[in-house]
Amino acid sequence: MGSAGTREFDVVVLGGGSTGENVADVVVRGGLTAALVEAELVGGECSYWACMPSKALLRGSEALAAARAVDGARQAVTGGQEVAATLARRDSFASNWDDSGQEKWVDDAGIELVRGVGRLDGERAVVVTAPDGGTVRLTARSAVAVCTGSAPRVPRVDGLRDVDPWTSREATSAQQVPGRLLVVGGGYVGCEMATAWAALGAQVTVLQRGQRLLATLEPEAGDAVAASLRALGVDVRLGTEVTAAHREGGEVVLATGDGELRGDEVLVATGRRARTDDLGVDTVGLEPGRYLDVDDTLRVRGVPWLYGVGDVNGRRQLTHMGKYQARQAGAAIVARARGEQASDADWAPTAATADRLATPSVVFTDPQVAAVGLSRARAQADGVPHRVVTHPIGSVGGAALHADGYSGTAVALVDPEREVLLGVTFVGPGVGELLHAATVAIVGEVPIPRLWHAVPSYPTISEVWLRLLEAYRG
C-alpha cells in the first residue's frame, strides 16, 4: 500500500513501552498533542519480557523458601513448586502477551496510537511503516522523543548466533522448562533466570567470564548469590569464557576453557545494546547503533528538538529509571513548548539527576540484593572519600523472626567529611523492601546525626539501620 500522507502533532514519541507511555502522558497532561508509535506490544519490554514475567517466575520459589525458613510453617510444605501453575501465573502477569488493555489506556489518556515501525526522517519528522506496508509521515511542532529502549547483546563468539540462543525474551516467556540450561553471563538477568529455572527443575550451568557474579555490585552480593545458586544445584563456573558454539542434533554445544559443555538451550545474558541501529538517526546527523548522548533534561546534545529517554540513552537501564526520566523529559518538553524558561541554564525542575546520584536496583535472587548509590569499587575508581560500614543483618531481632537462621549483610558507604550516605547495599531474604529508606537518605543527603532520630520499629529487619549507625560511631 502507499502513503497515507502527513499528520502533525506537538510531540511524536517513538516507542510505546513504559518510558514512551509516560512521556506521552506527561505532555498530553501538559496540554500538548502526542502520537505514540509502537511496532510490537504497547507496554514494551518490562510488561511482556522483563520485569513482570521474570518476577512472576521467581515469586513462587521465593514464597516456598520463606515458608521453609520458619519452623512450624516448614512442616506444612509437603510438595514442590507446581510448574504449570507457575507458568500460567507468569502468563497472566504478561497479560498473555495481549496489549489490548494498554491500548485502551493510551486511548483514554488522549494519546494517538500509531501502529508500525517508526524511523526518523529529518528534522522533526518520523515515517511510520504500518503492518500492511502503508506509510504515514508524522511531524512534530515541538519535539520527537526516542524511547526505543535497548535489546539483548549477543557477543561475537564463533557460532553463537547460529545456535538460536535464548535472550531475556525467551527466558522469561518459555512455555516449557528446559532440561539443561546453559547461562552465559552472571549479571542480573543471568542470576535471576538461573534461579527461576533451576527452582522449576532445570539443570542449570552458569558461565561467568569474571571471577564474581553480579560484578558491578558489592562483593558480598555476588558471593552470596553464587553460594545460593550452588545450594540450589546450579553449576556456577567463574573465570570461564565461551569461545565457540554449535548444535549437534537438538543439543547446544559450547566450547570453553574448561572443556565442552552441552545443554538443551543456551541463554545469552551478556548485556544490552541501544536500539538505534535502524532508526534513521543518520538523517539527523547521529551515528546508528550508538546510545543517544543527552543532557539532564534528556535532550540530545546538538539536536534541540530531539529527546532520548530511558534505555536508549544508556544512563541507567532500569524500568523505574526510564519512567523517572520520562516524567522529567515530558516536563521539559512542555515547559519549552510554552516558553516558560528564559534559558537552558535554569532547568532544575525538569533535570534528571536521580540516575546519576542514587539509582536503586533489586536483584530478585535468593537472597535478594538491593543496592542504591555508590559501591566500594565505584567510590575508589572515582576517587570519592568514603568509609565502609558493614553489619550482619541476621543479628537483629526482626531478621531472626523473619527466618530461622537468617543470613545477610548490610553495607553502607559514608562520606566521612559531610557525614552523609553515599551508597547502601543489602543482601538477604526480603531486603528489597528496605531499599527505599536508603534511597531517600541518599537523595535527601540526610546527615548521619539526623538519621539517629529516624527510629526503626521493633522488631523489624529495619533495625539494621540502628546497627549500621552504631558501627559507624564505633
Side-chain angles (χ1 to χ4, degrees), residues 316 356 373-386:
R316 288 293 186 271
R356 187 171 61 248
L374 297 180
S375 64
R376 294 181 181 97
R378 175 48 56 194
Q380 290 168 358
D382 292 348
V384 176
H386 63 281

Side-chain angles (χ1 to χ4, degrees), residues 173-350:
S173 62
Q175 294 298 316
Q176 291 183 327
V177 179
R180 298 165 299 166
L181 177 63
L182 306 174
V183 179
V184 181
Y188 287 46
V189 172
C191 288
E192 287 189 350
M193 291 298 94
T195 300
W197 289 112
L200 290 172
Q203 179 185 325
V204 179
T205 302
V206 174
L207 309 173
Q208 168 73 326
R209 186 169 61 177
Q211 294 300 320
R212 180 173 282 118
L213 300 181
L214 302 173
T216 62
L217 299 175
E218 297 289 9
E220 289 89 345
D223 292 345
V225 171
S228 173
L229 285 171
R230 286 173 172 140
L232 193 60
V234 175
D235 183 1
V236 178
R237 302 194 181 196
L238 304 175
T240 302
E241 187 167 4
V242 177
T243 57
H246 69 277
R247 278 198 182 266
E248 288 183 8
E251 288 188 318
V252 176
V253 184
L254 300 182
T256 77
D258 291 342
E260 190 176 88
L261 291 172
R262 292 173 177 263
D264 299 300
E265 301 290 351
V266 56
L267 163 61
V268 178
T270 54
R272 311 281 295 179
R273 60 177 177 81
R275 281 182 172 164
T276 61
D277 47 349
D278 190 24
L279 196 64
V281 296
D282 53 311
T283 70
V284 297
L286 302 175
E287 186 175 345
R290 295 288 187 93
Y291 287 108
L292 299 180
D293 181 25
V294 299
D295 63 20
D296 280 351
T297 65
L298 291 312
R299 186 163 67 171
V300 176
R301 301 184 197 278
V303 190
W305 52 268
L306 187 64
Y307 291 73
V309 193
D311 277 17
V312 76
N313 61 43
R315 284 168 59 139
R316 288 293 186 271
Q317 295 182 330
L318 295 160
T319 296
H320 47 280
M321 299 313 293
K323 291 180 178 180
Y324 162 74
Q325 289 184 7
R327 293 190 294 270
Q328 302 306 96
I333 290 169
V334 171
R336 286 185 171 119
R338 291 175 173 173
E340 293 178 356
Q341 300 287 346
S343 71
D344 285 351
D346 183 24
W347 283 96
T350 56

Side-chain angles (χ1 to χ4, degrees), residues 399-450:
L401 283 170
H402 183 88
D404 299 337
Y406 188 108
S407 178
T409 305
V411 181
L413 268 69
V414 182
D415 182 327
E417 297 175 0
R418 296 187 299 142
E419 287 205 313
V420 296
L421 289 168
L422 298 170
V424 178
T425 298
F426 300 111
V427 182
V431 295
E433 298 302 331
L434 296 178
L435 189 59
H436 195 57
T439 304
V440 171
I442 293 172
V443 171
E445 297 185 324
V446 181
I448 296 296
R450 188 64 185 164

Side-chain angles (χ1 to χ4, degrees), residues 153-186:
R153 180 172 56 84
V154 178
R156 296 181 182 278
V157 172
D158 183 32
L160 188 57
R161 294 173 185 270
D162 300 327
V163 300
D164 195 22
W166 278 11
T167 66
S168 54
R169 283 198 169 194
E170 290 76 20
T172 56
S173 62
Q175 294 298 316
Q176 291 183 327
V177 179
R180 298 165 299 166
L181 177 63
L182 306 174
V183 179
V184 181

Side-chain angles (χ1 to χ4, degrees), residues 22-113:
N22 276 272
V23 171
D25 187 42
V26 171
V27 299
V28 167
R29 288 176 182 270
L32 305 182
T33 61
L36 184 66
V37 180
E38 176 54 49
E40 294 184 286
L41 297 177
V42 179
E45 209 74 17
C46 174
S47 298
Y48 306 103
W49 300 289
C51 316
M52 298 309 291
S54 67
K55 304 316 173 277
L57 280 175
L58 288 157
R59 178 57 188 148
S61 57
E62 182 182 54
L64 283 173
R68 289 174 177 143
V70 178
D71 198 20
R74 179 184 305 116
Q75 289 80 357
V77 182
T78 57
Q81 192 168 354
E82 214 291 314
V83 173
T86 297
L87 297 183
R89 186 171 188 266
R90 182 274 317 271
D91 292 354
S92 72
F93 274 94
S95 301
N96 292 294
W97 293 274
D98 178 354
D99 67 353
S100 55
Q102 291 285 73
E103 185 177 37
K104 183 179 185 304
W105 177 88
V106 170
D107 184 60
D108 290 345
I111 302 163
E112 182 82 11
L113 177 61

